[in-house]
Amino acid sequence: MQMYSDRLRVVPALLLIYVWVRALTAEPISTYSLSLYQGLPADLLVVLGLAGLSLLLIARDHAWWMALLVSQFLVAVTVVPSLQTQYLHFTTDSYMHIGRMKRILEVGVAADRNLYPLLHWFSAMLSEVTDLSPTITALLVVTMMSAILGLLLVLCIRRLNLLESVYRLMIFAAVLATLTPDLFNFASWGQFGRLFTVLVIFVVFLSLKSGANNTEWLLTLLVILTAAVFAHPLISLITLCILCTILAYQSITDNIIYRVSNRPILLLPPAIGVVYWLLNAPTFNNTFASIIGSIFLSDGGDSSRLARRTEQLSSADIATIDIVIEFVAQYGYVVSFLGSLLIIISLRTIFLRNRESGLQPLAIAAVAFWALGAAMFVLPVPFGPGRFWAIAIILGVFVVARDLTAFIQWSPHSQKPALIGTFAILILVAGIAAPTLYGSELSRSPSEQMTKAESSGVEWLFEHEDDSEPIQSIGTPVRNIRAYEETSDSFRTGTRPKPHFQGIREDSFEGYLLLAPPAGQTYPAYYSDYPETWDYTPIDYNWIENGTDTARIYTSGDTSVYRTT
């Protein structure tokens, strides 16, 4: 059986080789498509999915090759869309990050109030050393982080001393957790911050599980936590929450599970980071101001995600089944993952109350991050809930893995139903996550592809615009694209037009209007049966094209620039 399983490890390796060959030889996508799934070769997607499933079938407690296969799978999922896109395939913030890297390379100084200095300086140095372009360097950084994440996933799960059957399921669960949209948006180079958050958690987890109580581990943790401050503002807050949870649990229970963590000095770097970003980062500062305002002053500024979504749904008589489908597509994986976490925690509390697993603080932290994400969904804040749900899911995988093993060891006759139930949940999550991993109609998120025509239109506008007049745009993030093109700290930003272009129709808006993919495509594709919910209709676009107050001054493919008076 051992030899048979060892031979099977070649299956995912061969499948991944096919994926790479197919991706490198396929014709690139030249035109914009709302769904990346419509542009990628069907056989490539199928084989990539089979490679992921095969990891479950052959997973055994051999860290070196299992970690290698998982890393290669995550790298393939990361890079394939970029290989298939003719020009660029990044999310909006990624262009800003590349622009900040270019600024360091050209000027030698980081931008003011840089929220991601570690990312930009590391990437700039890598670009300088390798002599690669900033855009290629961006893809290389994402690839490196994918490989590192795969290695850490397997190594951390291996340290939990799981039953082999549970080990297989948890490798599959960890990969699925990584592929959930909130944790790892593969089109976003800016995910370095979120990945670094996970990296910090993994390294802290490894250090804490060692049980060591020596200066070397303490210094290692201090260095990592200090570096984390400069990776992303939220990392300081997240690591501070996790360490406070561990210290509080050990103080209350008088049970020192992790001796090396029983040092309040570890709280110093993330605490300093939180204070620093509160004083210097407007977005971070505004988040707390919005929370305080909405709770104590009933004034949180902009409406919350829940309020905006409720308002949109209530504006039309939308069928209940359509609401359910959209909810499952966007949040089903969160409910499935965290629902299973709560079930496992409940079972352990009921049947294994006196058995110490060593992961109780992480279980508490996972539930706390889930609740914090729910609060971000309800409160009017700029940070989305996914940032915290992602951390809750990763911590939850560790907790479920260890507690599931403990439950089966306590009650051996429950092994089969427990494993079948866990497998059913994972297959459910896979069925939800796979169609929403990349931009698609099901997830109501358009593809992040930027065509050459769109890039040319943006460049033309930047070259011919009057700096004294504003820009409105649909489809292209003017703020981030301008940051991508320029190295100056001060650049004008673009805004999204009011629904039905009311600002242009009634407010005598004078300036520029940039329309690029997916402008005009999203509402007909996503809400074809509910035109009353559309912010922009074909009649609106026709008015822009033929109205007396607008004139098209540039067009390239499906990208157009208009002058409004």
Side-chain angles (χ1 to χ4, degrees):
M1 184 66 182
Q2 171 75 33
M3 183 180 299
Y4 178 71
S5 179
D6 288 346
R7 289 176 178 176
L8 283 179
R9 76 180 68 169
V10 75
V11 174
L14 291 175
L15 292 174
L16 288 173
I17 291 174
Y18 177 87
V19 168
W20 284 113
V21 173
R22 188 71 174 91
L24 291 170
T25 57
E27 190 71 22
I29 306 170
S30 58
T31 58
Y32 183 83
S33 175
L34 274 178
S35 174
L36 193 66
Y37 295 94
Q38 297 175 357
L40 294 175
D43 60 313
L44 190 152
L45 290 171
V46 171
V47 174
L48 188 60
L50 290 175
L53 286 175
S54 65
L55 293 176
L56 170 66
L57 300 177
I58 54 91
R60 294 184 66 87
D61 196 9
H62 298 298
W64 68 269
W65 63 264
M66 196 66 226
L68 180 62
L69 288 174
V70 171
S71 296
Q72 288 301 309
F73 175 72
L74 295 182
V75 168
V77 176
T78 305
V79 178
V80 161
S82 297
L83 293 177
Q84 293 298 289
T85 302
Q86 188 181 53
Y87 189 57
L88 291 175
H89 185 262
F90 286 119
T91 55
T92 54
D93 284 349
S94 298
Y95 298 103
M96 179 270 292
H97 291 305
I98 298 174
R100 295 295 173 87
M101 190 216 317
K102 291 166 61 177
R103 186 186 195 280
I104 293 175
L105 291 171
E106 296 175 16
V107 183
V109 179
D112 293 340
R113 290 186 174 180
N114 191 334
L115 303 184
Y116 316 88
L118 186 63
L119 165 64
H120 300 148
W121 278 106
F122 170 75
S123 302
M125 289 188 293
L126 186 62
S127 177
E128 185 73 19
V129 170
T130 60
D131 200 29
L132 297 173
S133 69
T135 303
I136 298 299
T137 303
L139 182 59
L140 179 59
V141 169
V142 174
T143 304
M144 292 169 57
M145 292 308 297
S146 300
I148 293 172
L149 182 58
L151 290 170
L152 291 172
L153 280 171
V154 177
L155 293 177
C156 286
I157 291 178
R158 186 170 181 266
R159 290 181 64 90
L160 294 176
N161 298 320
L162 306 177
L163 295 173
E164 182 177 315
S165 55
V166 177
Y167 175 79
R168 290 187 177 189
L169 287 176
M170 289 306 112
I171 289 291
F172 189 49
V175 172
L176 280 181
T178 308
L179 299 184
T180 53
D182 279 326
L183 180 62
F184 202 97
N185 186 331
F186 292 96
S188 176
W189 183 51
Q191 295 299 324
F192 177 86
R194 197 168 303 174
L195 286 178
F196 199 91
T197 306
V198 179
L199 176 62
V200 169
I201 293 173
F202 283 164
V203 176
V204 168
F205 174 70
L206 286 173
S207 303
L208 300 182
K209 286 298 293 180
S210 71
N213 186 17
N214 52 53
T215 304
E216 289 78 7
W217 274 118
L218 184 63
L219 290 177
T220 300
L221 278 174
L222 285 174
V223 170
I224 293 170
L225 293 170
T226 302
V229 173
F230 303 100
H232 191 287
L234 280 180
I235 297 179
S236 300
L237 179 62
I238 290 171
T239 52
L240 181 63
C241 291
I242 293 176
L243 290 174
C244 283
T245 301
I246 293 173
L247 284 172
Y249 179 86
Q250 295 185 153
S251 299
I252 294 173
T253 62
D254 197 25
N255 182 12
I256 308 302
I257 303 173
Y258 312 123
R259 286 176 291 170
V260 72
S261 69
N262 199 34
R263 306 289 186 87
I265 192 175
L266 291 175
L267 303 179
L268 187 60
I272 293 175
V274 170
V275 174
Y276 174 80
W277 291 118
L278 276 174
L279 297 175
N280 293 278
T283 301
F284 201 57
N285 196 354
N286 292 340
T287 297
F288 283 90
S290 297
I291 293 174
I292 293 173
S294 60
I295 295 176
F296 298 104
L297 304 177
S298 298
D299 180 17
D302 296 334
S303 58
S304 67
R305 284 166 174 77
L306 177 62
R308 290 196 299 268
R309 198 72 193 100
T310 302
E311 181 180 357
Q312 183 181 16
L313 292 175
S314 62
S315 64
D317 186 18
I318 300 179
T320 303
I321 185 63
D322 289 336
I323 297 177
V324 171
I325 290 174
E326 182 166 343
F327 175 83
V328 171
Q330 295 188 9
Y331 304 110
Y333 67 92
V334 175
V335 175
S336 302
F337 258 121
L338 299 181
S340 62
L341 170 64
L342 294 176
I343 291 173
I344 289 294
I345 291 177
S346 300
L347 290 175
R348 181 174 184 82
T349 303
I350 296 172
F351 297 106
L352 304 174
R353 185 178 307 170
N354 298 323
R355 294 197 179 189
E356 180 64 69
S357 72
L359 298 184
Q360 284 88 340
L362 297 186
I364 295 172
V367 175
F369 280 120
W370 179 86
L372 188 58
M376 296 298 105
F377 186 69
V378 174
L379 297 174
V381 295
F383 291 130
R387 301 170 186 264
F388 302 100
W389 285 340
I391 306 303
I393 289 173
I394 281 294
L395 292 176
V397 169
F398 291 149
V399 174
V400 169
R402 191 68 191 91
D403 285 356
L404 188 61
T405 290
F407 188 76
I408 292 174
Q409 290 174 338
W410 172 76
S411 177
H413 67 273
S414 66
Q415 176 170 349
K416 189 173 182 179
L419 293 177
I420 292 176
T422 305
F423 181 72
I425 292 174
L426 293 178
I427 291 299
L428 174 63
V429 174
I432 296 172
T436 59
L437 177 60
Y438 305 119
S440 67
E441 296 179 6
L442 183 61
S443 63
R444 301 294 192 265
S445 58
S447 169
E448 304 291 352
Q449 176 189 4
M450 172 180 275
T451 62
K452 183 62 178 177
E454 182 179 356
S455 176
S456 299
V458 175
E459 293 176 1
W460 185 92
L461 176 59
F462 289 169
E463 293 174 1
H464 296 83
E465 67 175 325
D466 183 342
D467 291 341
S468 63
E469 296 186 343
I471 300 174
Q472 293 188 348
S473 67
I474 299 178
T476 295
V478 172
R479 174 180 68 88
N480 293 320
I481 297 298
R482 188 181 292 278
Y484 172 76
E485 296 289 342
E486 299 182 0
T487 58
S488 172
D489 280 336
S490 59
F491 50 83
R492 296 190 302 118
T493 62
T495 59
R496 185 177 176 86
K498 294 180 180 179
H500 307 294
F501 301 108
Q502 290 299 320
I504 300 175
R505 292 174 185 261
E506 301 174 357
D507 300 341
S508 300
F509 172 80
E510 294 187 8
Y512 301 94
L513 175 65
L514 174 64
L515 299 181
Q521 301 182 34
T522 53
Y523 288 108
Y526 299 161
Y527 305 102
S528 58
D529 296 331
Y530 309 102
E532 61 271 29
T533 65
W534 300 2
D535 285 343
Y536 311 101
T537 66
I539 295 177
D540 296 327
Y541 286 111
N542 184 65
W543 180 84
I544 289 294
E545 183 66 32
N546 301 305
T548 57
D549 296 332
T550 59
R552 179 153 49 94
I553 57 177
Y554 175 87
T555 185
S556 174
D558 45 16
T559 300
S560 298
V561 179
Y562 297 86
R563 187 73 168 82
T564 65
T565 57

